[in-house]
Amino acid sequence: MTGRKVTRDDLRQAAEKYKNWGKWGPDDEIGTLNYTSAEDVVAAARLVKKGKVISLALNFDNNGPQGGKTNYPALGRINPLHTMLRTGTDAYSGVLDKRGIRAADDMVVIPLQCGTQWDGLGHVFYENSMWNGYDCREVSSFGAQKCGIEKTKSKMVGRGVFLDVARALGKDCLDDGYGITCADLELTAKKQKVEFKRGDYIIVRTGQMERCLKAGNWDGYPGGDAPGFAFETLEFVAKTELAALASDTWGCEVRPNNTEGGINQPWHWITIPIMGMTMGEIFYLKDLAEDCAGDGTYEFMFVAPAIPITGAVGSPTNPLAIK
Amino acid sequence: MTGRKVTRDDLRQAAEKYKNWGKWGPDDEIGTLNYTSAEDVVAAARLVKKGKVISLALNFDNNGPQGGKTNYPALGRINPLHTMLRTGTDAYSGVLDKRGIRAADDMVVIPLQCGTQWDGLGHVFYENSMWNGYDCREVSSFGAQKCGIEKTKSKMVGRGVFLDVARALGKDCLDDGYGITCADLELTAKKQKVEFKRGDYIIVRTGQMERCLKAGNWDGYPGGDAPGFAFETLEFVAKTELAALASDTWGCEVRPNNTEGGINQPWHWITIPIMGMTMGEIFYLKDLAEDCAGDGTYEFMFVAPAIPITGAVGSPTNPLAIK
Amino acid sequence: MTGRKVTRDDLRQAAEKYKNWGKWGPDDEIGTLNYTSAEDVVAAARLVKKGKVISLALNFDNNGPQGGKTNYPALGRINPLHTMLRTGTDAYSGVLDKRGIRAADDMVVIPLQCGTQWDGLGHVFYENSMWNGYDCREVSSFGAQKCGIEKTKSKMVGRGVFLDVARALGKDCLDDGYGITCADLELTAKKQKVEFKRGDYIIVRTGQMERCLKAGNWDGYPGGDAPGFAFETLEFVAKTELAALASDTWGCEVRPNNTEGGINQPWHWITIPIMGMTMGEIFYLKDLAEDCAGDGTYEFMFVAPAIPITGAVGSPTNPLAIK
Amino acid sequence: MTGRKVTRDDLRQAAEKYKNWGKWGPDDEIGTLNYTSAEDVVAAARLVKKGKVISLALNFDNNGPQGGKTNYPALGRINPLHTMLRTGTDAYSGVLDKRGIRAADDMVVIPLQCGTQWDGLGHVFYENSMWNGYDCREVSSFGAQKCGIEKTKSKMVGRGVFLDVARALGKDCLDDGYGITCADLELTAKKQKVEFKRGDYIIVRTGQMERCLKAGNWDGYPGGDAPGFAFETLEFVAKTELAALASDTWGCEVRPNNTEGGINQPWHWITIPIMGMTMGEIFYLKDLAEDCAGDGTYEFMFVAPAIPITGAVGSPTNPLAIK
């Protein structure tokens, strides 16, 4: 499909071809997370061999990606605003002592899509539908009545497979606008000598985040041009029967989107509401990339629990690769 | 020490006896989390045998414990306020279509100590000091310059040991004001046929949260009377060389605190700033308790990553027991 | 209409009878606030005779009405959460000095309907319409594209008329469920020797808030039973050609609402979207009541600017009666 | 003092010379707001002659000044984040109908110093003291126990005097770094044929905000270089016995500050904690300037109530000039 613009008709065909609605029953709210079986969890744990834990999270603070310039309206996505409710300076000043304990507390105002995060199945709609055919109106101002992120609270554990596509293609960072193909993913896996299994958590590195971190600014990162999944990788998602897919970019899929008729993020239109695929974005992959390049092992135990905020359509997460 | 009130002199003696400052070098910011070695992580993974993942988190919503009546000033600890930035009703109404994608977003205003949570090492001070001897003024309105929760981002993985003290003592719920002793903990372990190892994550059930959930209200839970660790269990913490300790109550330690001179939460005064012990609170243990009673296995792989909010003194978490 | 339940048909008839759409042109976004002329403002200023300024605002804090028990879901209306960004304790601790100034800053998380407030014209819809016939979808997650409270930024100045209905009816507080009638309002005005003029800001006291303040708790206040305007007072609103109407209750109109078919707040259905009337709620009237009873003067200059939050459907306000 | 750098010794001398502590008794918490008498309020109302109300507020939204680039750390001052709790799109979608009313609600996360605002007397400290000699530790994480903005709730009414210094000096906008002198202020008043009276609210235009608005960006505005009051204008503040002073800049005083020894905002060090002067910042003065230039009248009734957020050190405001 590369080279040709994605049309509304392509979307319709893809929706028909890749629709997983009903696959896990009419009441399912977690989609492809179901692919990971208990046996897969046991097998994933067996991958822990050197006892190394690698966090795939950016720190959540005012240096986060939402500070970057963008033409894509942020619609309320700010960097997290962390504020204190009590402090050590209060303690030092003696004003806490009437309470008999010197303690600090804090809070955060945090858009759930502002940093390293899971996009839940309530995050994107196809026409008037969300995952499994639920009415999109289930996600109102009162939150997601269906497919809230809290439904995943015992998931996000399984085998992690890391695909360092940038490295496999001999680049520090894929070019903005470069659409990763199925062939790229297969090639990367082959070079890394790793095979896919049903229920995997597949994590793909483009290098874009590291380019921003090196440059010391996030301009263009949130909603700007980026390397990412081409529309055709829907086939990869379907064929591998993966549990979830994550990347180091703002939105996983290639931007600009190469579409017609004002369609934005066509891959999202299909992956989330049609296939029921939970998606990880803004994953920090530098440390993992270095470790995998070092030991040649691209599979590991992956544990990345969402914070079960009732009715949320996403969640910040601190994903761990445990090798 | 049971039966006798804890005095400021007891605190001074305990501070001297249990002080771990410098144990992991002058720059350490994570304390007893250091006890878990790479080998311990590997061994913990070996405990995954049936592939079952059990979440120990309460959902984060307006039904959370901060709604309970209490005489203990909440100081800004509210239940999380989850609000939407875009919705499926916007989608249905057609107002999103100019953007070319129908998507929902959301945010949360969340005190970091409001639900299932880690208390970081910046949370409590002993006089003017925090863990490892850092000046308490390192925790100002700008957050924790030392011992921020983000320093733990690759920790919170290890062997979990569950101590169902309520069950071992033949109770649905320990009585409010009941101080759990070292003997209670040893007895529970013995009954459960589990032994402690250095670097364990030990999780203790009092049954109090389930009592609240059954009653359908949280009155008294936040800051009220509760079963919990007696002051003497500092010895247990020291001896077991545990990585972290968690419980199903608001504040882990017994309340009322049985102290003199207006001392509040004396166990906290020592565990966090003196011993460097990260503490888990408001853990939901019902499902874990049932599973462990069912299969007789009280050890498992424990993964409970904090969200690395820079400078935070705590973090919500979705702790997973993986069996 | 007292005694008979308000039906959907009554609403339809009222909507037809009282509809002000188009009265101030097709682009109007402020409705009856237009009634106050420049001359009225000049005349209002002439009412300032003793130089006394009386605030009609409750303080905004954790003691506010949202703490009261209620069966009416709060839907995110919490008491304001005021937190500090820098403090005097930081100053005392010396941590601010590197900045060369010792200063405190703060922020608030505040639902705009949580305390003394204006309900803007985007607050209530009649079927799919808002004031002046605008489509209700103009109020999306992106705020009110029409009738945002910021459109009133140079309004809310005029003659204030205070109607102490409770006092006129010989009560400390009208009974919950008591529907104030047109006759009550006329009688009160007559007793107080005050006449209405077009463009007035009319403020009505039921005494309910003072009952809560005296009792020391707000149980039942937010969304519970209350004295307030009967449905028939739509006629009063229309006839007086008032600019805005305010009261000391949570929702101005009588509760329970005395309706059929699940209609809630029928008076709101008409006043806001059909008549274009901005409404003041949770006004603190004790001091004003005492002053007016003391000097026998129930008219004054009224200045109650909204905070012009773009796209907001309401605003906290500190209304001033200047006598 | 122009041309010479302000030193710590200058601050000490100014603190001694201008100290108003005790002037309104030991318990005073509002400082120079006391200067406005009841007679002054009556006289101010007499200035209302044409019935025109001019708002001096910027709208509060994401286009606010906190978006501007700056090297001065924002410390949590973001533009207000306005979010919806219920919407017209919910209404349209039918999800509100079970509640029997179609209504929208909203909230805002708003740093109190982010836009058109009053700096309260808890905002700045001189060494360890705040206004009237209160200990700076009265402003802890629990808010301002003394001098909270709520103490001003019946103030902020009086005679407004507008000084269009930019216009008087023949400029569209004073230059960044230009320190307005006492002579400039006197000259402006003279040109405008207006005299000062005790208890006035004096509003000074530099033109800087309009320059930003015209340029379409706020770069440099928050904390950057700016025209503003020279240190010597402390004398003007003292001599005029004004109630409050406001300007169209981020911080009223000239920047850079022309100081030695790392002193930042020296004028603030004296005006707020030593003189007890409430200060208005980020006032929008374009409309007022045009109106005053048009009718030649630079005095008016000024009403600018703070939102009485308990313990706040500032407040957003919608200041009204009523002519």
Side-chain angles (χ1 to χ4, degrees):
Chain A
M1 210 167 285
T2 311
R4 196 168 65 70
K5 288 189 185 301
V6 176
T7 65
R8 215 158 273 263
D9 202 51
D10 291 327
L11 282 171
R12 262 188 296 271
Q13 287 178 31
E16 188 149 332
K17 180 173 181 189
Y18 295 116
K19 189 173 288 183
N20 284 330
W21 295 2
K23 185 165 198 161
W24 296 280
D27 298 330
D28 180 69
E29 304 184 45
I30 60 169
T32 57
L33 298 178
N34 286 295
Y35 275 129
T36 312
S37 68
E39 293 71 34
D40 295 335
V41 170
V42 174
R46 290 299 165 274
L47 300 172
V48 178
K49 287 172 184 166
K50 58 185 187 185
K52 183 166 182 183
V53 179
I54 301 169
S55 168
L56 311 185
L58 276 183
N59 284 353
F60 288 82
D61 56 36
N62 202 38
N63 296 318
Q66 302 304 326
K69 272 194 207 160
T70 175
N71 292 322
Y72 197 71
L75 301 182
R77 287 190 192 172
I78 58 168
N79 280 322
L81 184 59
H82 174 242
T83 59
M84 300 303 295
L85 299 172
R86 276 182 291 169
T87 61
T89 49
D90 290 329
Y92 181 82
S93 298
V95 303
L96 302 177
D97 290 338
K98 59 175 179 289
R99 202 172 162 105
I101 183 169
R102 296 182 153 205
D105 260 33
D106 44 4
M107 60 175 266
V108 71
V109 177
I110 184 169
L112 302 179
Q113 292 76 20
C114 74
T116 305
Q117 124 233 0
W118 287 117
D119 277 355
L121 297 186
H123 178 54
V124 176
F125 313 104
Y126 185 89
E127 295 176 350
N128 286 341
S129 297
M130 56 193 289
W131 162 242
N132 219 11
Y134 294 117
D135 192 305
C136 70
R137 292 174 293 179
E138 297 283 359
V139 182
S140 69
S141 292
F142 312 130
Q145 309 304 308
K146 293 289 176 189
C147 304
I149 202 74
E150 79 280 10
K151 303 292 167 53
T152 72
K153 74 196 276 193
S154 300
K155 296 290 167 178
M156 314 299 192
V157 179
R159 177 182 180 240
V161 173
F162 179 53
L163 296 180
D164 192 340
V165 176
R167 184 181 176 86
L169 300 190
K171 301 241 181 188
D172 282 339
C173 174
L174 301 179
D175 292 334
D176 288 344
Y178 181 78
I180 298 170
T181 61
C182 293
D184 291 336
L185 297 167
E186 299 290 351
L187 172 76
T188 303
K190 197 172 167 192
K191 279 199 177 179
Q192 295 178 177
K193 300 189 173 52
V194 69
E195 292 184 1
F196 304 114
K197 295 182 191 159
R198 192 171 62 182
D200 281 344
Y201 287 80
I202 299 180
I203 299 154
V204 175
R205 178 172 171 271
T206 70
Q208 193 203 21
M209 181 189 286
E210 287 155 66
R211 192 184 66 196
C212 291
L213 290 171
K214 195 179 265 180
N217 88 65
W218 293 99
D219 288 352
Y221 185 86
D225 293 351
F229 300 108
F231 191 67
E232 65 159 52
T233 57
L234 296 172
E235 184 61 29
F236 174 83
V237 173
K239 202 173 60 178
T240 53
E241 298 187 317
L242 55 78
L245 188 55
S247 189
D248 57 351
T249 65
W250 172 83
C252 280
E253 81 181 284
V254 61
R255 288 180 68 85
N257 296 140
N258 195 32
T259 58
E260 278 184 5
I263 297 164
N264 187 9
Q265 304 286 81
W267 190 81
H268 276 72
W269 286 47
I270 305 300
T271 47
I272 293 179
I274 298 298
M275 307 181 90
M277 191 193 84
T278 297
M279 191 184 300
E281 292 169 344
I282 317 183
F283 275 42
Y284 169 79
L285 300 179
K286 182 168 184 284
D287 296 349
L288 180 62
E290 288 171 2
D291 187 86
C292 292
D295 68 6
T297 303
Y298 289 82
E299 58 175 0
F300 42 83
M301 186 180 191
F302 177 75
V303 185
I307 300 297
I309 300 164
T310 305
V313 301
S315 172
T317 182
N318 179 3
L320 302 180
I322 312 176
K323 296 184 74 173
Chain B
M1 207 167 286
T2 311
R4 196 169 65 70
K5 288 188 186 301
V6 175
T7 64
R8 214 158 273 263
D9 202 50
D10 292 327
L11 282 171
R12 263 188 297 271
Q13 287 176 32
E16 189 149 332
K17 181 173 181 189
Y18 295 115
K19 188 173 288 184
N20 285 330
W21 296 2
K23 185 166 199 161
W24 296 281
D27 298 330
D28 180 68
E29 303 184 45
I30 60 168
T32 58
L33 298 177
N34 286 295
Y35 275 130
T36 311
S37 68
E39 293 71 33
D40 295 335
V41 170
V42 174
R46 291 297 166 277
L47 298 173
V48 178
K49 287 171 185 168
K50 59 184 187 186
K52 184 168 183 183
V53 179
I54 301 169
S55 168
L56 311 184
L58 275 182
N59 285 353
F60 288 81
D61 57 35
N62 203 36
N63 297 316
Q66 302 305 326
K69 272 193 208 162
T70 175
N71 292 322
Y72 197 73
L75 301 182
R77 287 190 192 173
I78 58 168
N79 279 324
L81 184 60
H82 173 241
T83 59
M84 300 303 295
L85 299 173
R86 275 182 293 168
T87 61
T89 51
D90 290 328
Y92 182 82
S93 300
V95 303
L96 302 178
D97 291 337
K98 61 176 178 285
R99 205 173 160 104
I101 183 168
R102 296 182 152 205
D105 260 34
D106 44 4
M107 59 175 265
V108 71
V109 177
I110 184 169
L112 301 179
Q113 292 76 22
C114 74
T116 305
Q117 124 233 359
W118 287 116
D119 277 355
L121 298 186
H123 179 54
V124 175
F125 314 103
Y126 185 89
E127 295 176 349
N128 286 341
S129 297
M130 58 191 290
W131 162 243
N132 219 11
Y134 293 117
D135 192 304
C136 68
R137 291 174 293 181
E138 297 283 1
V139 183
S140 70
S141 293
F142 312 130
Q145 310 302 308
K146 293 290 177 188
C147 304
I149 202 73
E150 79 280 9
K151 303 292 168 54
T152 73
K153 73 195 277 192
S154 301
K155 296 289 169 180
M156 314 298 192
V157 178
R159 178 185 180 235
V161 173
F162 179 52
L163 297 179
D164 192 341
V165 176
R167 183 179 176 88
L169 299 189
K171 301 241 182 189
D172 282 339
C173 175
L174 301 179
D175 294 335
D176 289 344
Y178 181 78
I180 297 169
T181 62
C182 293
D184 292 336
L185 296 168
E186 299 289 351
L187 172 76
T188 302
K190 197 174 166 191
K191 281 200 176 178
Q192 294 178 176
K193 300 189 173 53
V194 69
E195 292 184 2
F196 305 114
K197 296 183 189 157
R198 192 171 63 180
D200 282 344
Y201 287 78
I202 298 180
I203 299 154
V204 174
R205 180 174 170 270
T206 69
Q208 193 202 21
M209 181 189 285
E210 288 156 66
R211 194 183 66 195
C212 291
L213 290 172
K214 195 180 267 181
N217 88 64
W218 292 99
D219 288 352
Y221 185 86
D225 292 351
F229 299 108
F231 191 67
E232 65 158 51
T233 58
L234 296 173
E235 183 61 28
F236 174 84
V237 173
K239 204 174 58 178
T240 53
E241 298 186 318
L242 54 78
L245 188 55
S247 188
D248 58 351
T249 65
W250 171 84
C252 280
E253 80 182 282
V254 63
R255 288 180 67 88
N257 297 140
N258 195 31
T259 58
E260 279 184 6
I263 297 164
N264 187 11
Q265 305 285 82
W267 189 81
H268 275 71
W269 287 46
I270 305 300
T271 47
I272 293 178
I274 298 297
M275 308 181 90
M277 189 193 85
T278 298
M279 191 184 301
E281 292 169 344
I282 317 185
F283 275 42
Y284 169 79
L285 301 178
K286 182 168 183 285
D287 296 348
L288 180 62
E290 287 171 2
D291 187 86
C292 292
D295 69 5
T297 303
Y298 288 83
E299 58 175 359
F300 42 83
M301 187 181 191
F302 177 75
V303 185
I307 300 297
I309 301 164
T310 305
V313 301
S315 173
T317 184
N318 179 5
L320 302 180
I322 312 176
K323 296 184 73 172
Chain C
M1 209 164 287
T2 311
R4 194 167 67 69
K5 288 188 186 301
V6 175
T7 65
R8 214 157 273 262
D9 201 51
D10 292 327
L11 282 171
R12 263 187 296 270
Q13 286 176 33
E16 190 149 331
K17 182 173 182 190
Y18 295 116
K19 188 173 289 184
N20 284 332
W21 296 1
K23 185 166 200 161
W24 295 282
D27 297 330
D28 179 68
E29 303 183 45
I30 62 169
T32 58
L33 297 178
N34 286 295
Y35 276 129
T36 312
S37 69
E39 294 70 34
D40 295 335
V41 170
V42 174
R46 292 297 166 276
L47 300 173
V48 178
K49 287 172 182 165
K50 59 185 185 183
K52 184 169 183 181
V53 179
I54 301 170
S55 167
L56 311 184
L58 276 182
N59 285 353
F60 288 81
D61 56 36
N62 202 38
N63 297 316
Q66 302 305 325
K69 272 194 208 159
T70 176
N71 292 322
Y72 197 73
L75 301 182
R77 287 189 191 174
I78 58 168
N79 280 323
L81 182 60
H82 174 241
T83 60
M84 301 303 294
L85 299 172
R86 274 182 294 168
T87 61
T89 49
D90 290 328
Y92 182 83
S93 299
V95 302
L96 302 177
D97 291 339
K98 60 177 179 285
R99 204 173 160 105
I101 184 168
R102 295 182 154 206
D105 260 35
D106 44 5
M107 60 175 266
V108 72
V109 177
I110 184 169
L112 302 178
Q113 291 76 22
C114 74
T116 305
Q117 126 233 358
W118 287 116
D119 277 354
L121 298 187
H123 179 54
V124 176
F125 314 103
Y126 185 90
E127 295 175 350
N128 286 341
S129 297
M130 58 193 289
W131 162 242
N132 219 11
Y134 294 117
D135 192 304
C136 70
R137 290 174 293 180
E138 298 282 1
V139 183
S140 69
S141 292
F142 313 129
Q145 309 303 309
K146 294 289 176 187
C147 303
I149 202 73
E150 78 279 10
K151 303 292 167 54
T152 72
K153 73 195 276 190
S154 300
K155 296 290 166 178
M156 314 298 191
V157 179
R159 178 185 180 236
V161 173
F162 179 52
L163 296 180
D164 192 341
V165 176
R167 184 180 176 86
L169 300 189
K171 300 242 180 187
D172 283 338
C173 174
L174 300 179
D175 294 335
D176 288 344
Y178 181 79
I180 297 170
T181 63
C182 292
D184 291 337
L185 296 167
E186 299 289 351
L187 172 77
T188 302
K190 197 173 168 192
K191 279 200 177 178
Q192 295 178 176
K193 298 188 175 55
V194 69
E195 292 184 0
F196 305 114
K197 296 181 190 159
R198 192 171 62 182
D200 281 346
Y201 287 78
I202 300 182
I203 298 154
V204 175
R205 178 175 171 272
T206 69
Q208 192 202 22
M209 182 189 285
E210 288 156 65
R211 192 185 66 195
C212 291
L213 290 171
K214 194 180 266 179
N217 87 64
W218 293 99
D219 288 353
Y221 185 87
D225 293 352
F229 299 109
F231 191 68
E232 65 159 53
T233 57
L234 295 173
E235 184 60 29
F236 175 84
V237 173
K239 204 174 59 179
T240 52
E241 297 186 320
L242 54 78
L245 187 56
S247 189
D248 57 351
T249 64
W250 171 84
C252 280
E253 81 182 282
V254 62
R255 289 181 65 88
N257 297 140
N258 195 31
T259 58
E260 278 184 5
I263 298 163
N264 187 12
Q265 304 284 79
W267 190 81
H268 275 71
W269 287 45
I270 305 301
T271 47
I272 294 179
I274 298 297
M275 308 181 88
M277 188 194 86
T278 297
M279 190 185 302
E281 292 169 343
I282 316 184
F283 275 43
Y284 169 79
L285 300 178
K286 182 168 185 284
D287 296 348
L288 180 62
E290 287 172 2
D291 188 86
C292 292
D295 69 7
T297 302
Y298 288 83
E299 58 174 1
F300 42 83
M301 186 180 192
F302 177 76
V303 185
I307 300 297
I309 301 164
T310 305
V313 301
S315 172
T317 182
N318 179 4
L320 302 180
I322 312 175
K323 297 184 73 173
Chain D
M1 208 166 287
T2 311
R4 196 168 64 69
K5 288 187 185 301
V6 175
T7 64
R8 215 157 271 264
D9 201 52
D10 292 327
L11 282 171
R12 263 188 296 272
Q13 287 178 33
E16 188 148 334
K17 181 173 182 190
Y18 295 116
K19 190 172 287 184
N20 284 332
W21 297 0
K23 185 166 198 162
W24 296 281
D27 298 329
D28 179 68
E29 303 184 46
I30 61 168
T32 58
L33 298 178
N34 286 295
Y35 275 130
T36 312
S37 69
E39 294 70 34
D40 295 335
V41 170
V42 174
R46 291 298 164 277
L47 299 172
V48 179
K49 287 171 184 167
K50 58 184 186 185
K52 183 168 183 182
V53 179
I54 301 169
S55 168
L56 311 184
L58 276 183
N59 284 354
F60 288 82
D61 56 37
N62 202 37
N63 298 316
Q66 302 305 327
K69 271 193 210 161
T70 176
N71 293 321
Y72 197 71
L75 301 181
R77 286 189 192 173
I78 58 169
N79 280 324
L81 183 59
H82 173 242
T83 59
M84 301 302 295
L85 299 172
R86 273 183 293 169
T87 61
T89 49
D90 290 328
Y92 182 82
S93 299
V95 303
L96 302 177
D97 291 337
K98 60 177 181 286
R99 204 173 160 104
I101 184 169
R102 296 182 153 206
D105 260 35
D106 45 3
M107 60 175 266
V108 71
V109 177
I110 184 170
L112 302 179
Q113 291 77 20
C114 73
T116 305
Q117 124 234 2
W118 287 116
D119 277 354
L121 298 186
H123 178 55
V124 176
F125 314 103
Y126 185 89
E127 294 175 350
N128 286 340
S129 297
M130 57 192 289
W131 162 243
N132 219 13
Y134 294 117
D135 191 305
C136 69
R137 290 174 294 180
E138 297 283 1
V139 183
S140 69
S141 292
F142 313 130
Q145 310 302 309
K146 294 289 177 189
C147 304
I149 202 74
E150 79 279 10
K151 303 291 166 55
T152 72
K153 74 195 274 191
S154 301
K155 296 290 168 178
M156 315 298 192
V157 179
R159 177 184 181 237
V161 172
F162 179 54
L163 296 180
D164 191 341
V165 176
R167 185 180 175 87
L169 300 189
K171 300 241 181 188
D172 283 337
C173 175
L174 301 179
D175 294 334
D176 289 343
Y178 181 78
I180 298 170
T181 62
C182 294
D184 292 335
L185 296 167
E186 299 290 352
L187 172 76
T188 302
K190 197 172 167 192
K191 281 199 175 177
Q192 296 178 175
K193 299 188 174 56
V194 68
E195 292 184 1
F196 305 113
K197 296 182 190 159
R198 192 171 63 181
D200 282 345
Y201 287 79
I202 299 181
I203 298 154
V204 175
R205 178 174 171 272
T206 69
Q208 193 203 20
M209 181 188 288
E210 289 155 66
R211 193 185 64 194
C212 291
L213 290 171
K214 194 179 267 181
N217 87 65
W218 293 99
D219 288 352
Y221 186 87
D225 291 352
F229 299 107
F231 191 68
E232 66 159 52
T233 58
L234 295 173
E235 184 61 28
F236 175 84
V237 173
K239 204 175 58 179
T240 53
E241 298 186 318
L242 53 79
L245 188 55
S247 189
D248 57 352
T249 64
W250 171 84
C252 279
E253 81 182 283
V254 62
R255 288 180 68 86
N257 296 140
N258 195 31
T259 58
E260 278 184 6
I263 297 164
N264 188 10
Q265 305 285 81
W267 190 80
H268 275 72
W269 286 47
I270 305 301
T271 47
I272 294 179
I274 297 297
M275 308 180 90
M277 190 193 85
T278 298
M279 191 186 300
E281 292 169 343
I282 316 184
F283 275 43
Y284 169 79
L285 300 178
K286 182 168 185 283
D287 296 349
L288 180 61
E290 288 171 2
D291 187 87
C292 291
D295 70 7
T297 303
Y298 288 83
E299 59 175 1
F300 42 84
M301 186 180 193
F302 177 76
V303 185
I307 301 296
I309 300 164
T310 305
V313 300
S315 173
T317 181
N318 178 5
L320 302 180
I322 312 175
K323 296 184 74 172

